[in-house]
Amino acid sequence: MVELLEPICLVTYFADEAHEELAALGHRTYWDGYFASRAFPLGRVPAQVVHAAFYSFAEGEAARHIPSAWETVPPEVSFDAWRRGSAASVRRTLGAELADSPGLARAADLTTRAATSAPTNGRVLYAGWRSLPVPSDPVTRLWHSATMLREHRGDGHVAALVGARIGGTEAHVLSAIDYGIHPPESFGRIHHLPKERLAEVMAGLRERGLVDADGRFTDAGRETKQRIEALTDELAAPPYAALSAAELAELVAELEPLTARLVAAGSR
């Protein structure tokens, strides 16, 4: 399901419409718009809360945008523009035939039923999304509910990382090694961090026996990464219990042509 739903969410970050909508509101940078919009379901919380919920950003990054981005543009206005632009990207990429098809409407209905059914305990971002009204337009509803499931999965991933004592920057290092990026410090999500901080992170992973002297997985590191991902998958399963086996199979069938079109356009 993550492979089918993730490309629907990723248009938000790879296509132009959401960026253009946010820039038109007066946000100075991409990251102002990102933090202002993605953090909106949490309410007007301090930057420390956004940092804790997002988990993988370096210390101080959230505080560079929250609350200043919300003072520039009200958070609900930013979120509406973010969602509107994202849905426009999905619609443009799919084209009218797929975007207006009964299959997409059915996929939106089934995705929404799954996305609104799971327990919220311990899932801060997902709980925030559950408090929002679900849009009526099928394309917007599909994006909204797919993103809700993405945040549900993300909350579970954070829980798995915390349980394994892997911090946000450490998680990026393990992902970089898993992707085959070498040295892992060159990974795009962390390469901008101070060299001293990256050296500290790598030293800590070596001391724990997760990374070798060359910056590659040890057996223990590979097993830790696999255990985190397996637990993330397990924790992401509850929403789909709301669907029967036949409905889940139907959802897969309806999503496949939509996802294929989005992936072909670069949303992967």
Side-chain angles (χ1 to χ4, degrees), residues 164-220:
R165 297 184 298 117
I166 298 294
T169 305
E170 287 83 359
H172 285 315
V173 170
L174 297 188
S175 291
I177 297 172
D178 195 43
Y179 296 151
I181 297 171
H182 193 265
E185 300 97 314
S186 65
F187 184 31
R189 293 297 303 273
I190 57 174
H191 73 87
H192 63 287
L193 297 179
K195 287 183 170 48
E196 297 79 7
R197 171 59 181 153
L198 290 174
E200 177 186 355
V201 168
M202 294 301 296
L205 291 171
R206 290 189 183 101
E207 287 170 11
R208 291 178 59 186
L210 303 179
V211 172
D212 65 20
D214 194 37
R216 304 181 193 277
F217 277 140
T218 62
D219 289 343

Side-chain angles (χ1 to χ4, degrees), residues 16-18 26 36 73 82 102 115 149 152 154 165 173 184 197 201 216 264:
D16 294 332
E17 284 88 342
V73 183
W82 192 55
L149 287 167
H152 177 278
R165 297 184 298 117
V173 170
R197 171 59 181 153
V201 168
R216 304 181 193 277

Side-chain angles (χ1 to χ4, degrees), residues 50 107 119 163 204:
V50 176

Side-chain angles (χ1 to χ4, degrees), residues 111-171:
T111 301
T112 300
R113 197 192 316 163
T116 56
S117 70
T120 58
N121 297 355
R123 297 180 185 270
V124 175
L125 274 167
Y126 173 66
W129 275 82
R130 283 284 297 275
S131 72
L132 304 177
V134 177
S136 57
D137 168 66
V139 172
T140 310
R141 184 164 72 251
L142 179 61
W143 176 87
H144 180 102
S145 296
T147 304
M148 196 186 315
L149 287 167
R150 187 173 195 255
E151 296 292 24
H152 177 278
R153 181 182 176 85
D155 284 338
H157 188 54
V158 168
L161 290 168
V162 171
R165 297 184 298 117
I166 298 294
T169 305
E170 287 83 359

